[in-house]
Amino acid sequence: LAKTTQPISMDSYEGQEVNITCSHNNIATNDYITWYQQFPSQGPRFIIQGYKTKVTNEVASLFIPADRKSSTLSLPRVSLSDTAVYYCLVGSTSLNQGGKLIFGQGTELSVKP
Amino acid sequence: DVKVTQSSRYLVKRTGEKVFLECVQDMDHENMFWYRQDPGLGLRLIYFSYDVKMKEKGDIPEGYSVSREKKERFSLILESASTNQTSMYLCASSSVGQGTSYEQYFGPGTRLTVT
């Protein structure tokens, strides 16, 4: 059974780089890896998505090794406002063709001053 | 900006009641999703719809049904609410991405309590 695993919680200080790793040993060929951020009382919000190698946007980087069995979300120079829960999602939109969408249980990141 | 709205932020129902949760998106997205979110379990997919009147079961469809009569609206129905359906329910929508990629836009969630 496909499973997406990530640490339950992490602590960091302002200005540090934070790396959150997600394990997805049974990732399928068509699956993408997507990360979401969620604040209390809000729905998750898209951060970044990738298929392989490295993807970078204005808020984060996503590193995916060649075997794609894990991925690492990297947040450069975090601030207090980055305190949130971060979810890893592995899956594809081909749900009507047997695809799956599997969320990790979420990593609660706490950034301290 | 994409907007996904859910009919209620908080809802309290009694065991055995029929419950309707409604979701509306304003970006003409083809795909719509219903998830439930529980502590320690992350988000779990209940149902998915890729077109009007089309639906696919997710990982935990038991005890739920859905309806999509219009493209912008996706309803989750609890035929006979039970206490183990107390949870946060999240609706999301997405366009059909390139290949199999996509970005989901989520509503704010409905906190349902069944007593």
Side-chain angles (χ1 to χ4, degrees):
Chain A
L1 184 66
K3 194 171 173 68
T4 304
T5 306
Q6 52 184 124
I8 297 298
S9 64
M10 293 182 72
D11 290 331
S12 182
Y13 290 93
E14 282 190 291
Q16 288 188 335
E17 178 184 78
V18 171
N19 296 309
I20 306 174
T21 296
C22 182
S23 172
H24 29 80
N25 290 323
N26 296 325
I27 189 168
T29 302
N30 289 340
D31 287 345
Y32 277 72
I33 299 153
T34 313
W35 284 83
Y36 289 84
Q37 176 191 55
Q38 186 178 27
F39 297 111
S41 302
Q42 294 184 23
R45 184 179 68 172
F46 174 91
I47 302 174
I48 196 166
Q49 182 181 83
Y51 184 79
K52 60 181 178 181
T53 63
K54 178 183 174 182
V55 179
T56 298
N57 62 21
E58 62 275 8
V59 298
S61 294
L62 178 59
F63 299 91
I64 305 168
D67 65 6
R68 303 199 331 121
K69 292 183 185 298
S70 66
S71 58
T72 299
L73 173 71
S74 181
L75 304 172
R77 296 180 299 281
V78 294
S79 64
L80 296 176
S81 62
D82 292 316
T83 293
V85 179
Y86 292 82
Y87 288 97
C88 172
L89 167 64
V90 175
S92 80
T93 48
S94 303
L95 295 178
N96 52 329
Q97 297 168 21
K100 290 282 187 184
L101 286 173
I102 307 294
F103 273 91
Q105 68 269 50
T107 297
E108 188 167 0
L109 173 65
S110 177
V111 180
K112 301 173 183 176
Chain B
D1 277 354
V2 174
K3 194 159 186 185
V4 179
T5 56
Q6 296 184 226
S7 51
S8 303
R9 292 300 302 271
Y10 300 93
L11 210 52
V12 179
K13 295 292 182 181
R14 292 187 178 273
T15 301
E17 279 193 83
K18 190 169 185 176
V19 181
F20 292 87
L21 302 181
E22 299 209 323
C23 175
V24 178
Q25 52 97 1
D26 66 359
M27 283 302 290
D28 202 35
H29 282 168
E30 294 82 3
N31 299 329
M32 296 190 75
F33 311 80
W34 275 108
Y35 295 90
R36 65 176 283 176
Q37 182 175 33
D38 300 288
L41 297 178
L43 284 76
R44 292 178 292 167
L45 182 65
I46 305 172
Y47 266 98
F48 158 72
S49 171
Y50 54 93
D51 202 350
V52 174
K53 297 189 186 295
M54 306 305 289
K55 61 185 179 185
E56 291 286 336
K57 292 179 180 179
D59 297 318
I60 51 165
E62 296 78 20
Y64 304 95
S65 62
V66 291
S67 173
R68 192 164 181 202
E69 297 295 321
K70 294 184 178 181
K71 191 175 185 180
E72 68 271 17
R73 190 179 297 268
F74 192 33
S75 300
L76 180 69
I77 303 153
L78 287 66
E79 294 290 342
S80 178
S82 64
T83 54
N84 62 14
Q85 292 178 310
T86 292
S87 186
M88 172 69 81
Y89 289 88
L90 289 161
C91 175
S93 72
S94 76
S95 61
V96 176
Q98 297 175 350
T100 56
S101 67
Y102 59 91
E103 173 184 342
Q104 294 184 58
Y105 294 85
F106 285 84
T110 295
R111 171 78 61 188
L112 172 67
T113 302
V114 182
T115 62

